[in-house]
Amino acid sequence: MVERGDVAMPRTARPAWEARPVRPDAQVVASQTYTVAPGDSLRRVAERTGAASEAIARANGLAPPFTIRTGQTLAIPGGRYHLVRPGETGIAIARAYGVEWSRIVGANQLAEPYVLRAGQRVLIPGDPAQPPSRADRAAAFRLDIDDILTGGEPAPAPRQAPAKPVTSPRRVLPPTAVVAAPARLQGGFVWPADGQVVRRFGPGKSGERNDGIKIAVPVATPIHATADGVVAYAGDGIAALGGLVIVRHGNGWTSVYGHASKLLVQRGQSVKRGQTVALSGDSGFADRPEVHFELRRGRTPVDPLGQLPRR
């Protein structure tokens, strides 16, 4: 184990967004029209103009399979388009341009599972003539759960298959390995720890929103996986949550465990329901030794008390 601040964790690969920096070399494309030539496909039009094929499809009302015909006039939407290389993540792209990843998701209408592909072009919001301020760049470096869920996976190289989950934290996957979520949720959810719920889901007294629940437990209490799954993240990259584990379960479900003092799993590791994934603590912005626990369906936080067994 190695110590990072007040959180101990297994030796593991750096997150993909740190290990594969992005060069901000987006192509600026002017709004224009394009006349389809013989042999053109939507992808070839995108390559010739520098715009994203998905953006061209939206601008022209094209639906799958995105058929175009010779002589057709297409509107090419202008903007800054970044060409995704193998291993790049949405988070790293956002950091390179000083733009919040959530804005890039919205501008490109990205959908689940949010994994970029090598060769894809993504529209970078903002004025290319106005470089981001220091404050904008600082904001782009503040991670949240949604960033990791939607922008944390590296773009696979052509024909790169997802990595098989490992069963032990001793085998470290490379940061460029693509980790696929389970296809289906197996069974229901169990409590991650046995303790008193000291904060519930939703807005608090001062108006701040809690996307999960907080369970008061003694330091070093085992934190259990709520269901079978694959670890999507294990680290301390979100300051407020300290030691953090995120597990994908299938059917769009994800669980989140924060404020841990010690992490026992790594990204890409398969875990079983009830398996200990961390030990509790008071890391991050915890008020006391406690477990921060979330359940999400897609990007949407769900009240865990409506999903967990009654006690």
Side-chain angles (χ1 to χ4, degrees):
M1 304 295 290
V2 293
E3 299 287 340
R4 298 184 188 174
D6 57 357
V7 180
M9 61 187 76
R11 295 188 181 277
T12 187
R14 294 166 61 196
W17 56 85
E18 294 179 359
R20 184 68 165 83
V22 168
R23 188 169 66 253
D25 56 359
Q27 180 178 352
V28 178
V29 176
S31 297
Q32 58 192 280
T33 58
Y34 178 90
T35 302
V36 178
D40 273 348
S41 64
L42 185 61
R43 177 170 294 184
R44 189 171 182 183
V45 173
E47 291 172 350
R48 287 184 169 183
T49 61
S53 57
E54 294 87 352
I56 298 173
R58 288 194 299 271
N60 293 276
L62 301 178
F66 306 115
T67 302
I68 56 177
R69 65 184 185 278
T70 300
Q72 181 179 358
T73 299
L74 297 176
I76 306 300
R80 284 186 300 172
Y81 291 94
H82 175 81
L83 179 65
V84 179
R85 279 84 168 185
E88 292 184 348
T89 65
I91 294 172
I93 292 171
R95 288 182 170 184
Y97 291 98
V99 176
E100 294 89 344
W101 171 239
S102 59
R103 291 184 60 199
I104 298 177
V105 169
N108 292 273
Q109 298 183 26
L110 300 179
E112 201 163 353
Y114 305 103
V115 177
L116 301 175
R117 66 180 188 277
Q120 179 180 0
R121 289 174 171 81
V122 292
L123 176 65
I124 306 298
D127 184 354
Q130 296 289 333
S133 66
R134 182 176 298 178
D136 289 337
R137 287 193 175 276
F141 274 77
R142 284 200 290 269
L143 287 178
D144 60 23
I145 297 295
D146 191 66
D147 287 338
I148 295 175
L149 291 178
T150 61
E153 282 297 308
R159 296 180 294 279
Q160 178 183 350
K164 292 184 178 180
V166 298
T167 57
S168 166
R170 291 187 296 274
R171 182 188 164 200
V172 178
L173 291 177
T176 54
V178 177
V179 179
R184 297 177 182 175
L185 172 69
Q186 301 292 331
F189 300 109
V190 298
W191 282 82
D194 186 14
Q196 180 183 359
V197 176
V198 292
R199 188 171 175 189
R200 292 179 175 266
F201 178 88
K205 294 180 180 178
S206 58
E208 77 283 2
R209 179 177 177 80
N210 186 30
D211 287 333
I213 60 175
K214 294 191 184 292
I215 306 168
V217 291
V219 171
T221 296
I223 301 173
H224 305 294
T226 190
D228 293 359
V230 176
V231 178
Y233 177 79
D236 57 358
I238 299 178
L241 293 176
L244 175 67
V245 175
I246 301 175
V247 181
R248 296 185 190 272
H249 302 289
N251 294 114
W253 284 100
T254 303
S255 58
V256 178
Y257 315 80
H259 302 316
S261 61
K262 187 175 185 179
L263 308 182
L264 302 176
V265 293
Q266 64 145 324
R267 174 181 175 269
Q269 182 177 342
S270 61
V271 294
K272 294 294 185 182
R273 179 168 56 178
Q275 179 177 336
T276 301
V277 296
L279 301 181
S280 66
D282 56 1
S283 62
F285 299 166
D287 296 326
R288 58 179 71 79
E290 60 190 11
V291 177
H292 173 87
F293 177 64
E294 295 182 21
L295 285 175
R296 295 190 180 217
R297 190 76 185 269
R299 300 172 67 184
T300 305
V302 176
D303 187 353
L305 295 181
Q307 305 296 323
L308 295 170
R310 290 182 178 271
R311 295 194 300 194

